[in-house]
């Protein structure tokens, strides 16, 4: 009997799983013993990591966008747009509905639908939403606003955790400092402030390094500063505890949550995310225990860090476990929390050497002391091109 794997969300994680399974099971697919289907609400993939660089002209929109059909193996059935937009998920009857009305059933389900920004969660934020976090247009406008100013107070605020890639706002702040200093040559006309919702910025060695560099670069940091509200008319924001900060330009990272269809389908936990076993990534939650349902990427539990690097490792584990399930091997590959945070502390310009490092860690082993390097900068810049042809295609 033909087995069916259904992947919902053709972003980073879902695409890697689809491509790895298509390669492993090419003969079964050719014999019509297995069907792999991937669904997404649109047909274009965006490498969101590139949003951090767009304001500074380091990548163009074309660099970070590809048509999904060019990324997914032709052995995989695809449905994008209304035919792929998931509107209901029923884990007990093993059925997924889409906007066009069609219903898909499955033997194995992979849920990889990412996270979404929710600016309305902070009163007043939607009236003053300059963010590089959610779209190419938003990131481009942030760059235009920076270039339109010749002096003032620029505040970067991370409203709440968890967010995808918690290191990205720190990286953005360092890039902003470097851009003003080395490209626009007007850094001394600006006060830069980073408002951070927690006490530490990442694991201990990460926190130590960025804390020292923020001080060295004269960037003020206010920690334990979750964003409470924004008053656009007064150009004033306040923390949840009522501390106020004034700004000329506010660049914010809104709170994030999972897609509405996940909570509407009754499969999310009390924190709003899709719960799973932290090691096997199998669904464990209000809809019961489902060994045939895997959760990966940004829609996963709040206590698994949401990064592209983590999503990639999770996709490798889920692919291997689906391969084991389908062959009936009865073994499980563990996800051990492998994740990472690429940090950039200086951009490469005629007057500055690029400095970057990709710190990695897992559940049990935090990063060792590290130092950003020029080689790290070049590796990071290169990665954005490898992303499409190697990472997303599941080749490593
Ligand atoms: C500004 C920014 C910078 C970042 N920088 C880095 C970085 O430097 N390094 C790093 O490792 N990570 C970084 N990340 C995080 C990284 O982009 C994410 O962790 C990664 O994309 C998660 O992959 P995913 O597959 O879970 O989600 P996504 O890639 O977001 O894919 C989710 C997919 O689900 C689809 N979908 C949503 N709702 C529906 C629906 N109802 N029906 C059908 N499909 C649906 C979406 O269209 C999307 O294609 C950054 C993120 C941001 C926002």
């Amino acid at each position: 009997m033909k087995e069916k794997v259904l992947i919902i969300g053709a972003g980073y994680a879902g695409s890697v799983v689809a491509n790895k399974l298509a390669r492993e099971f090419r003969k079964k697919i050719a014999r019509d013993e297995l069907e792999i289907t991937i669904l997404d609400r649109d047909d274009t993939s965006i490498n969101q990591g590139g949003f951090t660089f767009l304001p500074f002209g380091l990548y163009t929109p074309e660099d970070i966008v590809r048509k999904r059909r060019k990324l997914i193996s032709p052995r995989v059935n695809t449905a994008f747009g209304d035919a792929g937009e998931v509107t209901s998920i029923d884990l007990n009857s093993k059925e997924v509905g889409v906007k066009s009305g069609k219903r898909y059933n499955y033997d194995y389900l992979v849920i990889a639908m990412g996270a979404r920004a929710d600016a309305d969660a902070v009163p007043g934020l939607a009236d003053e939403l300059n963010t590089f976090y959610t779209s190419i247009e938003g990131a481009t406008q942030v760059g235009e606003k920076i270039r339109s100013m010749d002096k003032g107070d620029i505040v970067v605020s991370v409203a709440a955790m968890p967010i995808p890639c918690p290191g990205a706002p720190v990286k953005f702040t360092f890039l902003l400092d470097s851009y003003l200093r080395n490209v626009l040559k007007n850094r001394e006309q600006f006060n830069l402030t980073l408002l951070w919702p927690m006490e530490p910025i990442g694991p201990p060695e990460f926190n130590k390094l960025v804390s020292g560099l923020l001080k060295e670069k004269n960037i003020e940091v206010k920690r334990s500063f979750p964003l409470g509200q924004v008053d656009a008319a007064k150009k004033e924001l306040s923390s949840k505890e009522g501390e106020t900060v004034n700004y000329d330009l506010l660049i914010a990272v809104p709170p994030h949550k999972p897609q509405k269809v996940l909570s509407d389908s009754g499969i999310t936990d009390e924190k709003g995310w899709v719960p799973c076993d932290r090691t096997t990534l199998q669904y464990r939650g209000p809809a019961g225990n489902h060994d045939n349902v895997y959760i990966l990427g940004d829609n996963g539990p709040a206590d698994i860090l949401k990064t592209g690097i983590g999503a990639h490792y999770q996709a490798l584990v889920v692919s291997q476990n689906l391969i084991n399930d389908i062959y009936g091997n009865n073994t499980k590959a563990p996800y051990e929390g492998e994740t990472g945070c690429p940090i950039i502390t200086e951009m490469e310009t005629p007057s500055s050497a690029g400095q970057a490092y990709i710190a990695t860690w897992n559940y049990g082993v935090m990063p060792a002391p590290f130092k950003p390097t020029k080689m790290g900068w070049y590796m990071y810049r290169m990665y954005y091109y490898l992303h499409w042809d190697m990472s997303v295609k599941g080749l490593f």
Side-chain angles (χ1 to χ4, degrees), residues 66-141:
R66 293 288 183 279
K67 284 287 174 202
R68 295 194 199 281
R69 282 185 209 288
K70 295 202 162 175
L71 302 173
I72 308 281
S73 163
R75 297 188 186 100
V76 174
N77 298 330
T78 56
F80 301 139
D82 288 358
E85 179 165 347
V86 175
T87 52
S88 66
I89 303 164
D90 186 336
L91 300 188
N92 293 315
S93 59
K94 297 189 186 174
E95 195 180 75
V96 167
V98 292
K99 197 169 176 185
S100 61
K102 186 169 174 177
R103 309 195 83 73
Y104 288 85
N105 48 45
Y106 59 82
D107 298 292
Y108 300 98
L109 178 67
V110 175
I111 304 183
M113 296 169 74
R116 69 188 161 107
D118 180 20
D120 293 332
V122 177
L125 179 56
D127 302 331
E128 186 76 285
L129 192 58
N130 304 304
T131 186
F132 63 97
Y133 239 73
T134 54
S135 67
I136 287 177
E137 296 71 29
T140 306
Q141 279 166 18

Side-chain angles (χ1 to χ4, degrees), residues 3 22 33 36 54 62 70 118 164 196-197 224 229 251 277 283 301 315 335 346 387 389:
E3 286 190 291
E33 294 167 5
I36 303 166
L54 286 185
E62 294 71 34
K70 295 202 162 175
D118 180 20
W196 190 253
S224 298
Q229 66 174 47
I251 300 168
D277 182 292
Y283 180 82
Y335 175 63
E346 197 74 70
H387 177 79
D389 289 325

Side-chain angles (χ1 to χ4, degrees), residues 153-339:
D153 297 330
I154 304 183
V155 173
V156 179
S157 162
V158 179
M161 289 291 173
I163 56 168
C165 198
V170 185
K171 183 164 51 190
F172 173 86
T173 308
F174 282 133
L175 283 171
L176 172 60
D177 164 78
S178 187
Y179 186 66
L180 296 175
R181 195 155 22 84
N182 299 304
V183 179
L184 301 182
K185 310 270 186 196
N186 57 6
R187 172 66 178 91
E188 65 287 355
Q189 304 300 323
F190 289 90
N191 296 313
L192 301 189
T193 305
L194 173 64
L195 305 178
W196 190 253
M198 315 165 71
E199 204 42 41
I201 302 179
E205 287 301 330
F206 194 91
N207 185 36
K208 194 167 146 194
L209 180 101
V210 301
S211 300
L213 287 171
L214 287 163
K215 195 164 174 204
E216 196 179 288
K217 292 171 189 290
N218 199 19
I219 300 168
E220 190 184 353
V221 193
K222 285 183 183 287
R223 295 164 190 261
S224 298
F225 198 108
L227 190 57
Q229 66 174 47
V230 177
D231 186 333
K234 284 196 195 157
K235 297 260 173 218
E236 182 184 272
L237 59 82
S238 54
S239 72
K240 287 211 158 140
E241 286 70 38
E243 188 184 348
T244 58
V245 170
N246 288 94
Y247 59 82
D248 295 304
L249 175 61
L250 169 63
I251 300 168
V253 179
H256 276 66
K257 48 179 172 179
Q259 311 302 339
K260 192 166 173 297
V261 61
L262 296 168
S263 43
D264 289 351
S265 300
I267 63 173
T268 50
D269 62 16
E270 66 288 348
K271 292 189 178 146
W273 302 93
V274 189
C276 64
D277 182 292
R278 272 162 56 91
T279 303
T280 66
L281 305 176
Q282 288 165 305
Y283 180 82
R284 302 283 180 262
N289 291 345
H290 291 272
D291 286 352
N292 62 330
V293 178
Y294 290 95
I295 311 303
L296 69 168
D298 288 355
N299 61 193
D303 63 352
I304 299 183
L305 206 67
K306 302 179 188 310
T307 67
I309 296 178
H312 187 97
Y313 278 106
Q314 291 160 27
L316 300 185
V317 167
V318 167
S319 304
Q320 186 56 53
N321 283 331
L322 283 165
I323 290 167
N324 293 343
D325 292 342
I326 289 165
Y327 284 138
N329 289 344
N330 203 21
T331 52
K332 282 274 167 280
Y335 175 63
E336 294 178 348
E338 295 89 344
T339 192

Side-chain angles (χ1 to χ4, degrees), residues 19-86:
N19 287 326
K20 284 201 90 69
L21 295 185
R23 202 167 309 118
E24 175 69 25
F25 290 122
R26 58 196 180 281
K27 290 185 183 152
K28 269 182 172 289
I29 294 168
R31 291 195 297 259
D32 207 23
E33 294 167 5
L34 180 74
E35 182 182 281
I36 303 166
T37 303
I38 192 164
L39 309 177
D40 205 288
R41 64 185 169 193
D42 64 53
D43 67 354
T44 305
S45 183
I46 301 180
N47 181 359
Q48 298 158 46
F51 290 165
T52 315
F53 300 85
L54 286 185
F56 312 109
L58 290 164
Y59 294 107
T60 64
E62 294 71 34
D63 291 329
I64 63 166
V65 171
R66 293 288 183 279
K67 284 287 174 202
R68 295 194 199 281
R69 282 185 209 288
K70 295 202 162 175
L71 302 173
I72 308 281
S73 163
R75 297 188 186 100
V76 174
N77 298 330
T78 56
F80 301 139
D82 288 358
E85 179 165 347
V86 175

